[in-house]
């Protein structure tokens, strides 16, 4: 009874495509991250960069080289439009031109691993992807070919004709599904010199069907075996549609004999390239050309448009171009090309390139240049020498580091040309990037003055289209010039003229090869502050991310750990406000107009610095008062001058009006206006106009020149300042004055000359909008807001039911980072749930001139669902809990006050995320910008201190909902662990070193090896990481050929006499020298003692010290602690050995075995249940064993076995109360739940582990980590190896164990990671919760809309399995309950017979409740 919940969605980009999706004029990027579709818009922003004159002018002298020049550069940013989880594994994306789409743009065709196709379009009305059709090709009649593997064992991919006439899905061994698309009005391209223009007649399809109109954009699909096209297509390698053909035409590379390096001498040049044209009506094909005897290592076909044309064939050692006439030209890029092929090639072997896994994309459409990204991230440019209409040669140019050739550091997975000199490059092993390029101006520039050279870059930052426009302006454009290819490559487009730079990136946590759970480390108060109300620091995750040069480790925290810069004693203070005030312009001087800034005043470095602080507090007598402070260079001093009165009462809100020249203090009973030096200008009492009774202010909102006052009788009044700075109340209509308002805020849209808007929530739950200064009539209203529907629009009038939500507060605020911000509607309910809506316009408009015209709102997924017991001690007088913070470290955020304060943060490339602030009990928070605290904030804590703080540097917040810090190691991370006593991480990494056969003693006959492209072997490196500074403080280098297999930290008995135990690092390695030499292994034991640190580096006070090591026969594939006497277990070859340290009087103690257990082929997993002798053994082929180890006497025995055929990737214990479960993942990305229950009749007295359920993950698993929620009296996590807990058979009990009983601690959970960067949580459920969530899952499946029309139940089920009695609950699916409106949600809950508070508690428990130690 478990629930699987996704904590972090997949981050590795596998596929991408650029198309006009949102409209016909739009340019959108769609990326696929395994089971997640994301739609991005491209936004250009100007960023200020600093560059030296050396970059601007390489010929500058040494004096000029020391000058730093600031310049504004345009960069392209990715802005997330929407994201859509899908119930399937995406294998390809393609754009399709269809007629009559809902948005007017093109459609998106998506293929899935199980031979499905989904045609999607953008629905502008619902601001969502809409499924047009779903096509299935997974029937048994298509998979009945004998001697073929299962469909899932083949790579299924999609290719589309460039003119969108059809799509081809290659699936299975050699099947091709053709899906035609109706392109009745497609104008065929023709050559005016050779062809006749097309006749203006009725299309053939329309003539055939008469007047009947087609209701679908596609025709009937059909499936062809490739051998039906040509019997020689026995071993297809790759297929792609080609450009410039009248009919759909594709090229395919194949071979009669399967290419293999092992038989290279016999199968040299066995690859053929054939081009076929399809007749969609007759379902037939015609062979156009065939090129045989191509190199055997060719693996990809890349179609090329004009001016090059034809196809580029990519091999491991060469590039081959084949034109439309079948003429081939090739270039070799390393020494092996000529050794492995007799094909005629141009020699560029001095480049020594490896082309395996490279990605090819168009670079410059006008010249035909091609960009190639290697697996190392290096960039190549392919240039073609064109003679007329044929290619006579290929030149490969390696981009130098000065040109930006080292900007990428990870293997690419896809590439998409964005236009205007920009390319998106996706990666599964590193961050995905937008790469921009420009060209050096060599012919169009003139000699410039020295001053001008300092302002401009010698490399003109124009993209390709801008250069074309510039040439047209200079030489005159010729629109009728034929598209004729040049006879040679122009000097202005020489590969050496390209200069690349990085525009934007998408974070990637993949492949997440290993995970360790540790305690969050904090330094002194000048840096990061620890959590105050916990006896120990909360836990964090250290994840191994990236590969190659992109490899490193990433720290993930669920909370934001604030960077405290300064503390000030401010006892009894309850709230603070910083004030940014400035003096008015002298009389006679022109005032800046509305919407304009005083440019001369802004030149001052302290123009935006805070000048004053106001604190609301209680004095010694308990009376409420407000104190004003002046901000100084060292702290604060109480304001003595001016007319500020401390005994005026409690301050509710403080702000500035009249362009910052008036300070407005909102008190409970009056509003006071001061000038910039706190000289009193005006006092406005808060009274009821009708009865003249005194009222109290409960809230206020500022938006210059207006201030909104919310009074305790639920009425609202709005004040305005005039040109002289005087404040007056706006006239209110009777209906406005008599309405009871629950909440309100002011918002100034970032639209030129737009009126300030007042958003007010009335007692009926209707959100009304007024354009100030008019309060007579609402210009925009949302009557259905209290029902929280998925789509909010003004025309909705829901039926009144009891299902309405009780809303407490609304806020319209901008979220985002510097340069890219967007308004969001944030709603807080009476339960303290936080729901976020994002705006869109229907009908869609390109330029917004009126904020509320055609405005609609869509609800974002994954809201913040508060626990029913949270914030029960909140201040009842505090009506407003949502506070907009305009600039905190470059972010526009919203603070949610409460017992556990929250920050809503948004990155441009992500949806808003809600993170907890790692300093509980914050009473008040305000922005604070000064010379000592730039773009920071100040907050009051419960201890009565005012803290000046900033968001931690080098940390990313909005991408995943976790605070992320990253350290680049440029080495693959193989395993890691946390050393609890010293608070550091031990990281096992691997570096590549060149290998030569002459270096090996066994291969002396190869001593004359002269290859310049040598293979590499791994060399293990054990490194020590200090998380306070995120630096490597020590390392231990292993011998070449030695690879780290496992790193674990565990208490080990180091003395047989005193029985002293010490926490040591146990390292298991293997030495691999080829398939002809037996592999050996080693086991190392390292201590981490304290030493004298390096001067100025206090973090270097720890060092790795080798205690003992032993070389063994066989690979040491896994290590683990076991038992209670300080021994440890290792997987050594085909045995599990229990070893301990023996003191034999030598300098290095021995590691001697004490017990063993014979296992099967190769052990991949060895886990122990902390504090017991129980261990779980996973085999690469033979499933799992549950075994036990006893001491006195030493004995190792097997209790139960799972299935005999199971490829175990990861496995872990999952104790639940008195039941013992095991979670196992296999190579097919399936999760298996097994149980040890000796009393069950089918278990054969426990010898057989019961297979309870199977659940498809969809992501290849990499690790499992056992954690537990803290009990009321303990904060210890079971993820660390301790001695407390059940003793099991560790005390000598040799009988069959019963399921271990759990004390008062709650159930355990598992953290799962995958290669795609996904992080998930597997939570144990109690029986009532499991029944409720199971019924909810069954009810929601047919109700919810599923992207691409896929069934989540079919996605999670494993059809080939006959095991399992109770399935795992899909937490992502049941969590979508909150996507429904309140009416529909109540209907669903009534149908399953559950209460709302029960489901609320269940969902919190399977989400962040299972990660309680991490917050």
């Amino acid at each position: 009874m478990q629930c699987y919940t996704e904590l972090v969605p997949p981050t590795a980009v596998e596929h991408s495509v650029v198309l006009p999706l949102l409209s016909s004029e739009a340019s959108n990027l769609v990326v696929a991250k395994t089971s997640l579709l994301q739609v991005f818009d491209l936004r250009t922003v100007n960023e200020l960069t600093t560059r030296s004159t050396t970059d601007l002018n390489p010929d500058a002298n040494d004096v000029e080289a020391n000058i730093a020049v600031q310049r504004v550069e345009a960069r392209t940013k990715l802005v997330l439009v929407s994201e859509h989880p899908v119930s399937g594994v995406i294998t390809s994306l393609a754009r399709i031109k269809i007629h009559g789409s809902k948005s007017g743009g093109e459609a998106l065709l998506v293929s899935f691993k199980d031979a499905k196709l989904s045609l999607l379009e953008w629905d502008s009305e619902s601001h969502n992807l809409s499924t047009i059709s779903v096509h299935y090709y997974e029937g048994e009649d298509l998979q009945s070919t004998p001697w073929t593997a299962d469909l899932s064992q083949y790579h299924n991919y999609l290719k589309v004709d460039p003119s969108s006439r059809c799509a081809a899905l290659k699936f299975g061994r050699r099947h091709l599904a053709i899906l035609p698309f109706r392109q009745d009005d497609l104008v065929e391209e023709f050559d005016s010199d050779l062809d006749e223009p097309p006749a203006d007649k009725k299309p053939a399809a329309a003539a055939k069907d008469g007047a009947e109109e087609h209701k679908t954009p596609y025709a009937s699909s059909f499936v062809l075996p490739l051998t039906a096209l040509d019997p020689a297509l026995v071993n297809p390698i790759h297929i792609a549609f080609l450009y410039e053909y009248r009919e759909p035409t594709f090229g395919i590379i194949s071979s009669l004999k399967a290419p293999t390096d092992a038989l290279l001498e016999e199968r040299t040049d066995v690859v053929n390239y054939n081009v076929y044209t399809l007749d969609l009506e007759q379902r037939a094909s015609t062979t156009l050309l065939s090129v045989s005897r191509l190199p055997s290592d060719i693996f990809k076909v890349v179609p090329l448009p004009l001016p090059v044309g034809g196809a580029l064939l990519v091999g491991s050692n060469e590039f081959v171009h084949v034109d439309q006439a079948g003429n081939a030209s090739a270039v070799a890029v390393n020494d092996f090309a000529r050794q492995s092929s007799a094909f005629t090639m141009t020699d560029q072997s001095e480049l020594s390139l490896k082309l395996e896994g490279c990605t090819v994309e168009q670079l410059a459409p006008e010249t035909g240049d091609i960009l190639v990204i290697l697996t190392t991230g290096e960039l190549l440019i392919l240039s073609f020498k064109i003679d007329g209409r044929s290619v006579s040669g290929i030149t490969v140019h390696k981009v130098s580091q000065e040109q930006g050739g080292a900007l990428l550091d990870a293997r690419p997975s896809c590439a998409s040309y964005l236009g205007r000199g920009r390319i998106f490059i996706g990666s599964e092993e590193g961050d995905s990037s937008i790469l921009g390029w420009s060209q050096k101006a060599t012919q169009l520039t003139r000699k410039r003055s020295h001053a001008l050279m300092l302002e401009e870059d010698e490399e003109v930052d124009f993209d390709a289209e801008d250069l074309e426009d510039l040439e047209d302006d200079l030489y005159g454009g010729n629109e009728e010039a034929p598209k004729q290819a040049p006879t040679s490559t122009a000097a202005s487009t020489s590969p050496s003229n390209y200069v690349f730079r990085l525009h934007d990136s998408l974070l990637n946590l993949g492949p997440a090869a290993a995970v360790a759970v540790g305690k969050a480390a904090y330094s002194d108060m000048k840096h990061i502050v620890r959590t105050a109300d916990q006896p120990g620091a909360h836990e964090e995750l250290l994840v191994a991310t990236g590969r190659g040069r992109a490899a490193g480790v990433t720290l993930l925290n669920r909370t934001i750990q604030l960077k405290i810069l300064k503390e000030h004693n401010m006892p009894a203070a309850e709230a603070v406000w910083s004030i940014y005030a400035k003096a008015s312009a002298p009389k006679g001087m022109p005032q800046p107009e509305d919407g304009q800034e005083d440019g001369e005043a802004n030149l001052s470095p302290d123009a935006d610095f805070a000048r004053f602080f106001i604190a609301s507090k209680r004095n010694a007598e308990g009376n409420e008062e407000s104190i004003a402070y002046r901000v100084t260079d060292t702290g604060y001093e109480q304001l003595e001058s001016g007319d500020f009165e401390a005994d005026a009462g409690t301050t509710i809100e403080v702000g500035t009006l009249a362009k910052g020249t008036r300070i407005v203090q909102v008190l409970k009973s009056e509003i006071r206006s001061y000038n910039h030096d706190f000289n009193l200008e005006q006092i406005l009492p808060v009274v009821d106009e009708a009865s003249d009774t005194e009222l109290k202010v409960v809230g206020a909102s500022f938006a210059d020149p207006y201030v909104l006052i919310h009074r305790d009788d639920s009425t609202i009044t709005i004040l305005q300042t005039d040109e002289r700075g005087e404040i007056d109340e706006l006239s209110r209509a009777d209906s406005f004055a008599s309405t009871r308002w629950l909440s309100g805020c002011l918002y100034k849209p970032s639209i030129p000359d737009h009126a300030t808007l007042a958003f007010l929530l009335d007692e009926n739950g209707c959100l009304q909008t007024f354009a100030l200064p008019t309060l007579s009539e609402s210009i925009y209203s949302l009557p259905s807001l209290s029902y929280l529907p998925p789509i909010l629009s003004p025309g909705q009038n829901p039926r009144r039911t009891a299902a309405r939500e009780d809303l407490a507060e609304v806020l319209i605020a901008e979220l985002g980072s510097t340069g890219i911000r967007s308004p969001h509607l944030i709603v807080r309910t009476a339960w303290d749930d936080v729901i976020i809506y994002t705006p869109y316009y229907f009908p869609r408009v390109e330029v917004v001139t009126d904020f509320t015209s055609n405005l609609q709102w869509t609800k974002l997924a994954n809201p913040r669902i508060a626990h029913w017991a949270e914030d029960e001690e909140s201040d009842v007088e505090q009506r407003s809990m949502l506070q907009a913070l305009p600039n905190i470290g470059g972010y526009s955020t919203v603070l949610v006050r409460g017992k556990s304060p929250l920050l809503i943060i948004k990155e441009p490339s992500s949806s808003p995320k809600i993170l907890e602030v790692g300093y509980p009990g914050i009473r008040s928070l305000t922005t604070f910008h000064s010379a000592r605290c730039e773009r920071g904030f100040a907050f009051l804590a419960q201890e009565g201190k005012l803290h000046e703080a900033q968001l931690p540097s080098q940390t990313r917040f909005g991408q995943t909902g976790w605070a992320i810090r990253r350290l680049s190691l440029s080495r693959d991370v193989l395993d890691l662990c946390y050393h609890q006593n010293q608070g550091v991480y031990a990281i096992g990494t691997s570096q590549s070193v060149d290998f030569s056969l002459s270096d090996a003693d066994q291969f002396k006959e190869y001593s004359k090896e002269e290859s310049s492209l040598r293979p590499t072997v791994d060399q293990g490196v054990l490194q020590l990481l200090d998380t306070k500074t995120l630096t490597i403080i020590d390392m231990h280098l292993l011998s070449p050929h030695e690879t780290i297999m496992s790193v674990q930290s565990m208490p080990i008995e180091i003395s047989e006499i005193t029985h002293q135990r010490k926490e040591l690092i146990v390292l298991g390695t293997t030495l691999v020298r080829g398939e002809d030499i037996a592999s050996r292994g080693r086991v190392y034991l390292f201590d981490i003692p304290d030493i004298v640190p390096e001067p100025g580096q206090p973090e270097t006070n720890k060092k790795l010290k080798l205690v003992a090591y032993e070389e063994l026969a066989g690979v040491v594939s896994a290590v683990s602690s076991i038992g209670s006497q300080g021994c440890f277990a290792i997987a050594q070859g085909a045995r599990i050995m229990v070893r301990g340290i023996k003191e034999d009087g030598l300098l290095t103690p021995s590691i001697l075995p004490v017990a063993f257990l014979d296992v099967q082929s190769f052990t991949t997993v060895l886990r122990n249940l902390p504090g017991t002798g129980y261990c779980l053994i996973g085999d690469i082929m033979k499933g799992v064993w549950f075994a036990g180890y006893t001491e006195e006497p030493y004995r190792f025995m097997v209790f139960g076995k799972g299935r005999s055929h199971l490829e175990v990737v990861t496995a872990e214990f999952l104790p639940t109360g008195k039941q013992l479960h095991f979670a196992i993942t296999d190579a097919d990305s399936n999760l298996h739940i097994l149980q040890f229950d000796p009393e069950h009749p089918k278990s054969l007295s426990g010898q057989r582990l019961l297979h309870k359920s199977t659940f498809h993950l969809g992501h290849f698993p990499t690790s499992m980590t056992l954690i537990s929620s803290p009990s009321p009296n303990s904060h210890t996590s079971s993820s660390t190896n301790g001695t407390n807990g059940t003793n099991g058979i560790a005390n000598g009990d040799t009988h069959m164990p019963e399921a271990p009983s759990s004390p008062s601690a709650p159930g355990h959970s598992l953290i799962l990671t995958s290669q795609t960067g996904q992080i998930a949580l597997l939570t144990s459920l109690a029986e009532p919760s499991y029944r409720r969530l199971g019924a909810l899952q069954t009810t929601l499946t047919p109700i919810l809309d599923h992207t691409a029309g896929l069934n989540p139940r079919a996605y999670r089920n494993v059809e080939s399995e006959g095991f399992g009695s109770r399935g795992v609950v899909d937490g992502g699916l049941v969590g979508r309950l909150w996507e429904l409106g309140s009416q529909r949600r109540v209907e669903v809950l009534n149908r399953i017979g559950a209460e709302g508070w029960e489901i609320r508690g269940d969902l919190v428990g399977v989400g962040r409740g299972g990660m309680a130690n991490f917050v």
Side-chain angles (χ1 to χ4, degrees), residues 118-139:
S118 292
L119 185 62
L120 310 176
E121 65 177 342
W122 183 258
D123 188 351
S124 301
E125 183 176 3
S126 62
H127 198 68
N128 202 352
L129 285 176
S130 175
T131 304
I132 299 176
S133 60
V134 183
H135 308 267
Y136 296 83
Y137 303 100
E138 54 181 348

Side-chain angles (χ1 to χ4, degrees), residues 1365-1382:
S1365 56
R1366 312 190 75 177
V1368 177
V1369 176
D1370 188 348
L1373 180 61
V1374 297
R1376 294 183 61 187
L1377 173 69
W1378 303 102
E1379 295 181 13
L1380 303 177
S1382 59

Side-chain angles (χ1 to χ4, degrees), residues 46 65 69 134 209 307 345 494 635 645 691 783 798 1093 1143 1203 1252 1280 1334:
N46 295 325
V69 178
V134 183
D209 296 339
M345 306 180 196
S494 172
E645 297 180 7
S691 60
E1143 295 177 301
R1203 293 173 47 199
K1252 303 298 292 184
T1280 58

